[in-house]
Amino acid sequence: MLIQMTMSSECELAVVTGASTGIGAATAHELARRGFHVLAGVRRDRDADAIRAPGIEPLIVDITDPDHVQTLATRVYEDPQRRRLRALVNNAGVGVNVPVETYPLDEWRCLFEVNLFGHIAVTQALLPALIRAQGRVVNISSVGGRIAMPTYGPYAATKFSLEAVSDALRRELAPSGVRVVVVEPGAIKTEMPGRAIATAADLASRMTATQRQRYGALVHAINAQTDAHSGRGLPPQAAADVIARAVTVRHPRTRYTVGREAALLALVRVLPDRMLDRMLAAALRPYRANAMAMSASATSR
Ligand SMILES: NC(=O)c1ccc[n+]([C@@H]2O[C@H](COP(=O)([O-])OP(=O)(O)OC[C@H]3O[C@@H](n4cnc5c(N)ncnc54)[C@H](OP(=O)(O)O)[C@@H]3O)[C@@H](O)[C@H]2O)c1
């Protein structure tokens, strides 16, 4: 039997960003259950009230707001019980499915502010504490951090970037004993797919007639596929268990996957690009056929 060596939490601190819902909320509860004092970043007072529990202390943290990041850092460095910071879980994220051509440039920048620069800001602010504690940075990427499906360009660009930053950081921090771990979930049943579909519908309504002709059916198909995948997705607890393992196991791996789609990642390493293109197109075909039938019947009405 494989015995996983885990480190004792001895009531250390853990920071989880984006803890209002989904994977972040489940992770905050799981780490608290394992004895950590969790500083749970949320953006609204009502989310703070909802997540507050034994071992979970909510903090208002929009990771794109430098003042919020500073307040979080001050809370960590001035902990009244002088507890060590064992882990920073960079989890906050925004999903969007939109063709590269149609996504306004200022919205690309906003997406990167949350999914990449916000994580860098929080990491920079907390690194001295993590180095002192020989703690962990756990970055929540995605299967989309290694495969960019059509309409996933902006989201995947942020996640590919987060993967690159994680690799560099892991190598930079190895001598100081800080471990940097990437977690790559596949479909998890959270608010994100619904939020991404709503954003995609809004963006689609702003497409020009030519863009709608070029991408309309694709966007419909991807939304239907996203909806179907998330319906079959794993519960957030499955991701929380893996993240908690990345935080507590004595010798963490550099990457953990969660969910069925993780199998795709093994294929990416061995398949030529064109073959992967064909596989992804084939997986989308049933949803494309439905989308085309729907748009044909809408036009004929
Ligand atoms: N669900 C999946 O299938 C899936 C798959 C792969 C990877 N992931 C990744 O897993 C992570 C968690 O996603 P989830 O599925 O749990 O989605 P979710 O339920 O939508 O949670 C996203 C969290 O991020 C927070 N957030 C958004 N913008 C923020 C900002 N500027 N500052 C601080 N927090 C912010 C949200 O807060 P508000 O409630 O205030 O908006 C929410 O707490 C994300 O990084 C996502 O990319 C998810």
Side-chain angles (χ1 to χ4, degrees):
M1 193 175 74
L2 182 70
I3 299 172
Q4 283 279 25
M5 295 286 289
T6 58
M7 296 156 76
S8 137
S9 59
E10 294 162 7
C11 205
E12 294 167 310
L13 299 178
V15 169
V16 180
T17 63
S20 66
T21 53
I23 295 172
T27 301
H29 285 289
E30 182 57 33
L31 291 176
R33 197 184 64 75
R34 294 181 187 222
F36 288 94
H37 182 80
V38 179
L39 301 176
V42 297
R43 293 196 293 174
R44 285 171 292 267
D45 289 339
R46 67 163 194 270
D47 295 327
D49 292 340
I51 191 99
R52 188 175 284 110
I56 302 184
E57 176 185 333
L59 285 180
I60 299 294
V61 184
D62 181 324
I63 60 170
T64 67
D65 184 326
D67 290 340
H68 290 189
V69 174
Q70 184 53 50
T71 304
L72 168 65
T74 303
R75 170 64 191 84
V76 168
Y77 291 107
E78 295 178 4
D79 181 56
Q81 296 173 44
R82 303 168 68 91
R83 289 168 289 203
R84 300 185 322 153
L85 178 62
R86 166 76 76 82
L88 163 62
V89 182
N90 285 313
N91 165 77
V94 180
V96 60
N97 300 332
V98 58
V100 171
E101 182 187 348
T102 67
Y103 199 38
L105 202 49
D106 55 346
E107 297 193 31
W108 277 87
R109 293 196 172 104
C110 289
L111 189 69
F112 268 84
E113 284 297 333
V114 182
N115 286 5
L116 183 68
F117 301 135
H119 299 314
I120 294 172
V122 176
T123 305
Q124 287 179 338
L126 298 185
L127 259 188
L130 288 162
I131 290 171
R132 203 172 309 137
Q134 301 206 320
R136 308 258 159 106
V137 179
V138 180
N139 286 335
I140 311 307
S141 176
S142 169
V143 168
R146 293 211 271 152
I147 302 178
M149 311 230 296
T151 79
Y152 276 69
Y155 177 75
T158 65
K159 294 295 188 182
F160 272 59
S161 303
L162 186 63
E163 298 257 352
V165 169
S166 304
D167 281 341
L169 193 65
R170 184 182 71 249
R171 291 163 184 150
E172 288 163 6
L173 294 179
S176 59
V178 174
R179 308 296 184 100
V180 179
V181 181
V182 176
V183 175
E184 296 163 330
I188 308 289
K189 260 193 230 180
T190 67
E191 310 247 333
M192 179 164 283
R195 288 174 170 182
I197 290 169
T199 312
D202 171 50
L203 289 164
S205 73
R206 290 191 259 151
M207 284 198 265
T208 64
T210 314
Q211 289 174 342
R212 201 163 302 127
Q213 205 172 22
R214 199 157 34 234
Y215 303 116
L218 171 66
V219 170
H220 274 297
I222 286 280
N223 283 346
Q225 188 189 44
T226 303
D227 196 34
H229 280 188
S230 72
R232 294 192 294 265
L234 297 182
Q237 185 62 39
D241 288 341
V242 173
I243 295 166
R245 195 175 332 135
V247 168
T248 56
V249 78
R250 194 171 291 277
H251 300 293
R253 302 200 321 237
T254 57
R255 283 184 167 71
Y256 291 86
T257 55
V258 191
R260 304 176 189 96
E261 293 76 10
L264 267 177
L265 295 180
L267 289 178
V268 176
R269 267 180 248 119
V270 293
L271 285 185
D273 287 345
R274 301 272 182 223
M275 202 175 286
L276 192 63
D277 292 352
R278 283 197 289 276
M279 261 187 54
L280 294 176
L284 200 56
R285 208 163 291 133
Y287 302 99
R288 250 186 195 281
N290 280 349
M292 278 156 83
M294 271 170 55
S295 79
S297 82
T299 326
S300 68
R301 254 186 256 132

